[in-house]
Structure formats: C-alpha cells, structure tokens
Amino acid sequence: MTTTSPASPNATILVLYYSRHGATRKLAELIAQGVESVPGCDARLRTVPAVSTVTEAVEPDVPASGAPYVEAADLQECDGLALGSPTRFGNMAAAMKYFWDGTAPQWLSGALTGKPACVFTSTGSLHGGQESTLLTMMIPLLHHGMLLLGLPYSHPELMNTHSGGTPYGASHWAGVNGNQPLSDDSRTLAIALGKRLAETAIKLRRPS
C-alpha cells in the first residue's frame, strides 16, 4: 500500500490496526485494497506496539514485519480512518486502547474532527464479542469528533455470512489459533467497507 506525504494530492486513509496472530492484519489489508480501488485515494497501513505486564519489556522502534508503528503525524495527515483490533472480552485489545489513551493532544487540537471513520475486528470464537468490540471501538472516535460509517444492508453478504460481518463494521471469525480462513463474504464486506470509507473521505475532504 502507498505511503503518502502531506503534499500528496490524493486523499489518505489511515488503516490502523493491532494484530496478534495475523487475522486482523488480513482484514486491514482487504480494507486497504477497498480504499485504493477508489481513484484519488491512498491507504496508509499502520500498527501499534504490543503492551506487556513486564515493565522491562521493550518493543523495537521498527516492527520486525508488517506495517510501521503509527505516529501522531498519521492522525493529523489522514482524511479518514479505519480502526481494527482483535477482541478482548468484548473490547479492543490493550495495545490499541493504550494508544488511544495517549491521543489527548489530537483531541484538544481537533485533528480528527469531521473526518470519516470505520471499525473492524476478528474473534477467536464465533460469538466472542464481534459486535460489542466494534461498538466500544467507536467510543474514542466519537470523542474525537469523527463521523462513523458502517455497512448497509444493501450488501447482500450481510444476510448470508456465517463467519463475520456486521452493520457496525467488518469482522472475521478467526478461530482459537487464528487459522480460520476468511470467508468470501467476509472478504467482500471488508473491501466494501474500505471503499465506502474512501468514497466518503473524498466527498468530505477539506480543501487544501
């Protein structure tokens, strides 16, 4: 996916995720694919460091694989945000919550106010809190003044899917070991969510 500079004429959609076993990362990549299917939009994939109860544990400055760590400039420069996390007892993972707890400067400056956003998640069990995780992930985005998007039922996959996909955002039943493959319906819905976010960002983009 493309990494844009602030001078880019294209709209930049930040796809920010945390992934432990790779399932949420796969969803992020599909959402980014949907974003970049819209002319004039670039996806910027970013992740957050893991947190640990061991105070001596330190994450490297650059992840060993996958997307770079998110920086404050990514929030400032984006025209839209897709936020993803695996489920932890019906809520976002601690690493993602820790990141948002540190965004008071962006809240005070209104860096995200008026920008569109969507959410996505993966779960180890089919009824492991997909919808509650998506709903609770929306709360900090509402505090930041973002405009939340979901998936409308004009997507027939919402009525047919057996492994994930909700009106609140894209989701995936990954299995206990994270080895459950994404279904065709879940893939379609993730791409559609990214496309919808990008199209909305284009319409709302502030003139430079």
Side-chain angles (χ1 to χ4, degrees):
M1 305 303 163
T2 306
T3 300
T4 59
S5 67
S8 170
N10 286 357
T12 299
I13 305 300
L14 176 61
V15 183
L16 176 60
Y17 69 92
Y18 175 71
S19 189
R20 186 69 173 172
H21 299 293
T24 310
R25 176 181 171 181
K26 290 176 184 175
L27 274 177
E29 290 168 348
L30 288 167
I31 288 172
Q33 180 180 328
V35 166
E36 296 204 332
S37 72
V38 177
C41 272
D42 295 323
R44 184 183 295 188
L45 279 164
R46 294 291 186 268
T47 189
V48 296
V51 295
S52 173
T53 56
V54 181
T55 56
E56 292 82 6
V58 178
E59 287 288 318
D61 292 336
V62 179
S65 62
Y69 292 136
V70 66
E71 298 178 354
D74 295 314
L75 297 179
Q76 187 70 40
E77 295 166 7
C78 76
D79 297 289
L81 168 69
L83 180 65
S85 170
T87 249
R88 294 291 185 268
F89 301 106
N91 209 325
M92 74 178 83
M96 187 59 75
K97 178 65 164 57
Y98 182 82
F99 169 77
W100 284 103
D101 284 350
T103 59
Q106 289 74 34
W107 172 68
L108 288 168
S109 69
L112 294 171
T113 300
K115 297 178 181 181
C118 66
V119 291
F120 58 100
T121 191
S122 62
T123 54
S125 59
L126 184 56
H127 303 291
Q130 290 187 5
E131 293 186 346
S132 63
T133 298
L134 294 173
L135 288 169
T136 53
M137 286 173 66
M138 293 178 182
I139 293 173
L141 305 186
L142 287 168
H143 278 263
H144 276 277
M146 302 199 80
L147 308 175
L148 294 173
L149 300 173
L151 282 163
Y153 276 94
S154 54
H155 296 290
E157 293 82 7
L158 279 179
M159 299 296 292
N160 302 324
T161 181
H162 296 286
S163 60
T166 80
Y168 312 115
S171 63
H172 167 50
W173 170 36
V176 175
N177 298 316
N179 55 5
Q180 187 79 14
L182 276 157
S183 68
D184 289 341
D185 287 338
S186 295
R187 293 175 63 88
T188 298
L189 290 169
I191 293 170
L193 185 61
K195 182 178 180 183
R196 189 175 194 221
L197 177 62
E199 289 172 341
T200 304
I202 289 286
K203 293 175 182 177
L204 294 174
R205 194 180 189 196
R206 299 166 180 167
S208 56

mmCIF file with all atom_site columns, all heavy atoms in Angstrom, residues 68-82:
data_model
loop_
_atom_site.group_PDB
_atom_site.id
_atom_site.type_symbol
_atom_site.label_atom_id
_atom_site.label_alt_id
_atom_site.label_comp_id
_atom_site.label_asym_id
_atom_site.label_entity_id
_atom_site.label_seq_id
_atom_site.pdbx_PDB_ins_code
_atom_site.Cartn_x
_atom_site.Cartn_y
_atom_site.Cartn_z
_atom_site.occupancy
_atom_site.B_iso_or_equiv
_atom_site.pdbx_formal_charge
_atom_site.auth_seq_id
_atom_site.auth_comp_id
_atom_site.auth_asym_id
_atom_site.auth_atom_id
_atom_site.pdbx_PDB_model_num
ATOM 1   N N   . PRO A 1 68 ? 4.496   -0.185 9.648  1.00 0.00 ? 68 PRO A N   1
ATOM 2   C CA  . PRO A 1 68 ? 5.215   0.605  10.657 1.00 0.00 ? 68 PRO A CA  1
ATOM 3   C C   . PRO A 1 68 ? 4.280   0.994  11.796 1.00 0.00 ? 68 PRO A C   1
ATOM 4   O O   . PRO A 1 68 ? 3.057   0.919  11.672 1.00 0.00 ? 68 PRO A O   1
ATOM 5   C CB  . PRO A 1 68 ? 5.666   1.845  9.871  1.00 0.00 ? 68 PRO A CB  1
ATOM 6   C CG  . PRO A 1 68 ? 5.492   1.516  8.431  1.00 0.00 ? 68 PRO A CG  1
ATOM 7   C CD  . PRO A 1 68 ? 4.412   0.508  8.354  1.00 0.00 ? 68 PRO A CD  1
ATOM 8   N N   . TYR A 1 69 ? 4.878   1.433  12.908 1.00 0.00 ? 69 TYR A N   1
ATOM 9   C CA  . TYR A 1 69 ? 4.080   1.933  14.018 1.00 0.00 ? 69 TYR A CA  1
ATOM 10  C C   . TYR A 1 69 ? 3.482   3.296  13.662 1.00 0.00 ? 69 TYR A C   1
ATOM 11  O O   . TYR A 1 69 ? 4.093   4.106  12.967 1.00 0.00 ? 69 TYR A O   1
ATOM 12  C CB  . TYR A 1 69 ? 4.927   2.063  15.282 1.00 0.00 ? 69 TYR A CB  1
ATOM 13  C CG  . TYR A 1 69 ? 5.368   0.739  15.859 1.00 0.00 ? 69 TYR A CG  1
ATOM 14  C CD1 . TYR A 1 69 ? 6.672   0.556  16.302 1.00 0.00 ? 69 TYR A CD1 1
ATOM 15  C CD2 . TYR A 1 69 ? 4.475   -0.333 15.972 1.00 0.00 ? 69 TYR A CD2 1
ATOM 16  C CE1 . TYR A 1 69 ? 7.084   -0.658 16.847 1.00 0.00 ? 69 TYR A CE1 1
ATOM 17  C CE2 . TYR A 1 69 ? 4.881   -1.546 16.500 1.00 0.00 ? 69 TYR A CE2 1
ATOM 18  C CZ  . TYR A 1 69 ? 6.186   -1.700 16.932 1.00 0.00 ? 69 TYR A CZ  1
ATOM 19  O OH  . TYR A 1 69 ? 6.588   -2.899 17.454 1.00 0.00 ? 69 TYR A OH  1
ATOM 20  N N   . VAL A 1 70 ? 2.288   3.529  14.166 1.00 0.00 ? 70 VAL A N   1
ATOM 21  C CA  . VAL A 1 70 ? 1.607   4.791  13.908 1.00 0.00 ? 70 VAL A CA  1
ATOM 22  C C   . VAL A 1 70 ? 2.309   5.928  14.634 1.00 0.00 ? 70 VAL A C   1
ATOM 23  O O   . VAL A 1 70 ? 2.891   5.738  15.710 1.00 0.00 ? 70 VAL A O   1
ATOM 24  C CB  . VAL A 1 70 ? 0.118   4.692  14.335 1.00 0.00 ? 70 VAL A CB  1
ATOM 25  C CG1 . VAL A 1 70 ? -0.007  4.526  15.849 1.00 0.00 ? 70 VAL A CG1 1
ATOM 26  C CG2 . VAL A 1 70 ? -0.684  5.883  13.837 1.00 0.00 ? 70 VAL A CG2 1
ATOM 27  N N   . GLU A 1 71 ? 2.263   7.125  14.049 1.00 0.00 ? 71 GLU A N   1
ATOM 28  C CA  . GLU A 1 71 ? 2.820   8.329  14.651 1.00 0.00 ? 71 GLU A CA  1
ATOM 29  C C   . GLU A 1 71 ? 1.732   9.400  14.688 1.00 0.00 ? 71 GLU A C   1
ATOM 30  O O   . GLU A 1 71 ? 0.723   9.309  13.991 1.00 0.00 ? 71 GLU A O   1
ATOM 31  C CB  . GLU A 1 71 ? 4.019   8.826  13.848 1.00 0.00 ? 71 GLU A CB  1
ATOM 32  C CG  . GLU A 1 71 ? 5.182   7.832  13.809 1.00 0.00 ? 71 GLU A CG  1
ATOM 33  C CD  . GLU A 1 71 ? 6.341   8.335  12.963 1.00 0.00 ? 71 GLU A CD  1
ATOM 34  O OE1 . GLU A 1 71 ? 6.189   9.394  12.328 1.00 0.00 ? 71 GLU A OE1 1
ATOM 35  O OE2 . GLU A 1 71 ? 7.384   7.670  12.960 1.00 0.00 ? 71 GLU A OE2 1
ATOM 36  N N   . ALA A 1 72 ? 1.957   10.414 15.492 1.00 0.00 ? 72 ALA A N   1
ATOM 37  C CA  . ALA A 1 72 ? 0.973   11.493 15.614 1.00 0.00 ? 72 ALA A CA  1
ATOM 38  C C   . ALA A 1 72 ? 0.676   12.131 14.256 1.00 0.00 ? 72 ALA A C   1
ATOM 39  O O   . ALA A 1 72 ? -0.467  12.510 13.973 1.00 0.00 ? 72 ALA A O   1
ATOM 40  C CB  . ALA A 1 72 ? 1.482   12.547 16.596 1.00 0.00 ? 72 ALA A CB  1
ATOM 41  N N   . ALA A 1 73 ? 1.699   12.228 13.409 1.00 0.00 ? 73 ALA A N   1
ATOM 42  C CA  . ALA A 1 73 ? 1.511   12.847 12.087 1.00 0.00 ? 73 ALA A CA  1
ATOM 43  C C   . ALA A 1 73 ? 0.517   12.068 11.234 1.00 0.00 ? 73 ALA A C   1
ATOM 44  O O   . ALA A 1 73 ? -0.179  12.644 10.393 1.00 0.00 ? 73 ALA A O   1
ATOM 45  C CB  . ALA A 1 73 ? 2.848   12.948 11.367 1.00 0.00 ? 73 ALA A CB  1
ATOM 46  N N   . ASP A 1 74 ? 0.437   10.753 11.443 1.00 0.00 ? 74 ASP A N   1
ATOM 47  C CA  . ASP A 1 74 ? -0.509  9.955  10.668 1.00 0.00 ? 74 ASP A CA  1
ATOM 48  C C   . ASP A 1 74 ? -1.948  10.364 10.955 1.00 0.00 ? 74 ASP A C   1
ATOM 49  O O   . ASP A 1 74 ? -2.792  10.396 10.048 1.00 0.00 ? 74 ASP A O   1
ATOM 50  C CB  . ASP A 1 74 ? -0.320  8.462  10.974 1.00 0.00 ? 74 ASP A CB  1
ATOM 51  C CG  . ASP A 1 74 ? 1.026   7.944  10.513 1.00 0.00 ? 74 ASP A CG  1
ATOM 52  O OD1 . ASP A 1 74 ? 1.425   8.248  9.371  1.00 0.00 ? 74 ASP A OD1 1
ATOM 53  O OD2 . ASP A 1 74 ? 1.686   7.242  11.292 1.00 0.00 ? 74 ASP A OD2 1
ATOM 54  N N   . LEU A 1 75 ? -2.246  10.671 12.210 1.00 0.00 ? 75 LEU A N   1
ATOM 55  C CA  . LEU A 1 75 ? -3.591  11.131 12.563 1.00 0.00 ? 75 LEU A CA  1
ATOM 56  C C   . LEU A 1 75 ? -3.856  12.515 11.984 1.00 0.00 ? 75 LEU A C   1
ATOM 57  O O   . LEU A 1 75 ? -4.948  12.805 11.496 1.00 0.00 ? 75 LEU A O   1
ATOM 58  C CB  . LEU A 1 75 ? -3.754  11.158 14.082 1.00 0.00 ? 75 LEU A CB  1
ATOM 59  C CG  . LEU A 1 75 ? -3.657  9.822  14.819 1.00 0.00 ? 75 LEU A CG  1
ATOM 60  C CD1 . LEU A 1 75 ? -3.821  10.043 16.321 1.00 0.00 ? 75 LEU A CD1 1
ATOM 61  C CD2 . LEU A 1 75 ? -4.696  8.833  14.323 1.00 0.00 ? 75 LEU A CD2 1
ATOM 62  N N   . GLN A 1 76 ? -2.861  13.372 12.048 1.00 0.00 ? 76 GLN A N   1
ATOM 63  C CA  . GLN A 1 76 ? -3.016  14.732 11.553 1.00 0.00 ? 76 GLN A CA  1
ATOM 64  C C   . GLN A 1 76 ? -3.229  14.753 10.046 1.00 0.00 ? 76 GLN A C   1
ATOM 65  O O   . GLN A 1 76 ? -4.063  15.508 9.528  1.00 0.00 ? 76 GLN A O   1
ATOM 66  C CB  . GLN A 1 76 ? -1.777  15.559 11.916 1.00 0.00 ? 76 GLN A CB  1
ATOM 67  C CG  . GLN A 1 76 ? -1.889  17.034 11.594 1.00 0.00 ? 76 GLN A CG  1
ATOM 68  C CD  . GLN A 1 76 ? -2.866  17.764 12.485 1.00 0.00 ? 76 GLN A CD  1
ATOM 69  O OE1 . GLN A 1 76 ? -2.928  17.511 13.689 1.00 0.00 ? 76 GLN A OE1 1
ATOM 70  N NE2 . GLN A 1 76 ? -3.656  18.659 11.906 1.00 0.00 ? 76 GLN A NE2 1
ATOM 71  N N   . GLU A 1 77 ? -2.501  13.916 9.335  1.00 0.00 ? 77 GLU A N   1
ATOM 72  C CA  . GLU A 1 77 ? -2.492  13.971 7.871  1.00 0.00 ? 77 GLU A CA  1
ATOM 73  C C   . GLU A 1 77 ? -3.612  13.176 7.212  1.00 0.00 ? 77 GLU A C   1
ATOM 74  O O   . GLU A 1 77 ? -3.929  13.413 6.043  1.00 0.00 ? 77 GLU A O   1
ATOM 75  C CB  . GLU A 1 77 ? -1.147  13.459 7.358  1.00 0.00 ? 77 GLU A CB  1
ATOM 76  C CG  . GLU A 1 77 ? 0.031   14.346 7.757  1.00 0.00 ? 77 GLU A CG  1
ATOM 77  C CD  . GLU A 1 77 ? 1.375   13.667 7.544  1.00 0.00 ? 77 GLU A CD  1
ATOM 78  O OE1 . GLU A 1 77 ? 1.398   12.561 6.960  1.00 0.00 ? 77 GLU A OE1 1
ATOM 79  O OE2 . GLU A 1 77 ? 2.390   14.230 7.978  1.00 0.00 ? 77 GLU A OE2 1
ATOM 80  N N   . CYS A 1 78 ? -4.223  12.244 7.929  1.00 0.00 ? 78 CYS A N   1
ATOM 81  C CA  . CYS A 1 78 ? -5.207  11.384 7.265  1.00 0.00 ? 78 CYS A CA  1
ATOM 82  C C   . CYS A 1 78 ? -6.499  12.131 6.976  1.00 0.00 ? 78 CYS A C   1
ATOM 83  O O   . CYS A 1 78 ? -6.867  13.087 7.661  1.00 0.00 ? 78 CYS A O   1
ATOM 84  C CB  . CYS A 1 78 ? -5.485  10.137 8.110  1.00 0.00 ? 78 CYS A CB  1
ATOM 85  S SG  . CYS A 1 78 ? -6.540  10.414 9.549  1.00 0.00 ? 78 CYS A SG  1
ATOM 86  N N   . ASP A 1 79 ? -7.185  11.670 5.934  1.00 0.00 ? 79 ASP A N   1
ATOM 87  C CA  . ASP A 1 79 ? -8.507  12.194 5.579  1.00 0.00 ? 79 ASP A CA  1
ATOM 88  C C   . ASP A 1 79 ? -9.623  11.264 6.041  1.00 0.00 ? 79 ASP A C   1
ATOM 89  O O   . ASP A 1 79 ? -10.801 11.604 5.922  1.00 0.00 ? 79 ASP A O   1
ATOM 90  C CB  . ASP A 1 79 ? -8.591  12.379 4.064  1.00 0.00 ? 79 ASP A CB  1
ATOM 91  C CG  . ASP A 1 79 ? -7.594  13.409 3.556  1.00 0.00 ? 79 ASP A CG  1
ATOM 92  O OD1 . ASP A 1 79 ? -7.798  14.603 3.831  1.00 0.00 ? 79 ASP A OD1 1
ATOM 93  O OD2 . ASP A 1 79 ? -6.598  13.024 2.912  1.00 0.00 ? 79 ASP A OD2 1
ATOM 94  N N   . GLY A 1 80 ? -9.260  10.108 6.546  1.00 0.00 ? 80 GLY A N   1
ATOM 95  C CA  . GLY A 1 80 ? -10.214 9.138  7.057  1.00 0.00 ? 80 GLY A CA  1
ATOM 96  C C   . GLY A 1 80 ? -9.460  8.057  7.799  1.00 0.00 ? 80 GLY A C   1
ATOM 97  O O   . GLY A 1 80 ? -8.245  7.897  7.627  1.00 0.00 ? 80 GLY A O   1
ATOM 98  N N   . LEU A 1 81 ? -10.172 7.296  8.635  1.00 0.00 ? 81 LEU A N   1
ATOM 99  C CA  . LEU A 1 81 ? -9.528  6.306  9.489  1.00 0.00 ? 81 LEU A CA  1
ATOM 100 C C   . LEU A 1 81 ? -10.335 5.017  9.519  1.00 0.00 ? 81 LEU A C   1
ATOM 101 O O   . LEU A 1 81 ? -11.542 5.038  9.752  1.00 0.00 ? 81 LEU A O   1
ATOM 102 C CB  . LEU A 1 81 ? -9.409  6.852  10.914 1.00 0.00 ? 81 LEU A CB  1
ATOM 103 C CG  . LEU A 1 81 ? -9.008  5.853  12.010 1.00 0.00 ? 81 LEU A CG  1
ATOM 104 C CD1 . LEU A 1 81 ? -7.566  5.404  11.828 1.00 0.00 ? 81 LEU A CD1 1
ATOM 105 C CD2 . LEU A 1 81 ? -9.217  6.463  13.391 1.00 0.00 ? 81 LEU A CD2 1
ATOM 106 N N   . ALA A 1 82 ? -9.649  3.887  9.307  1.00 0.00 ? 82 ALA A N   1
ATOM 107 C CA  . ALA A 1 82 ? -10.211 2.565  9.562  1.00 0.00 ? 82 ALA A CA  1
ATOM 108 C C   . ALA A 1 82 ? -9.454  1.983  10.744 1.00 0.00 ? 82 ALA A C   1
ATOM 109 O O   . ALA A 1 82 ? -8.230  1.855  10.701 1.00 0.00 ? 82 ALA A O   1
ATOM 110 C CB  . ALA A 1 82 ? -10.072 1.670  8.338  1.00 0.00 ? 82 ALA A CB  1
#
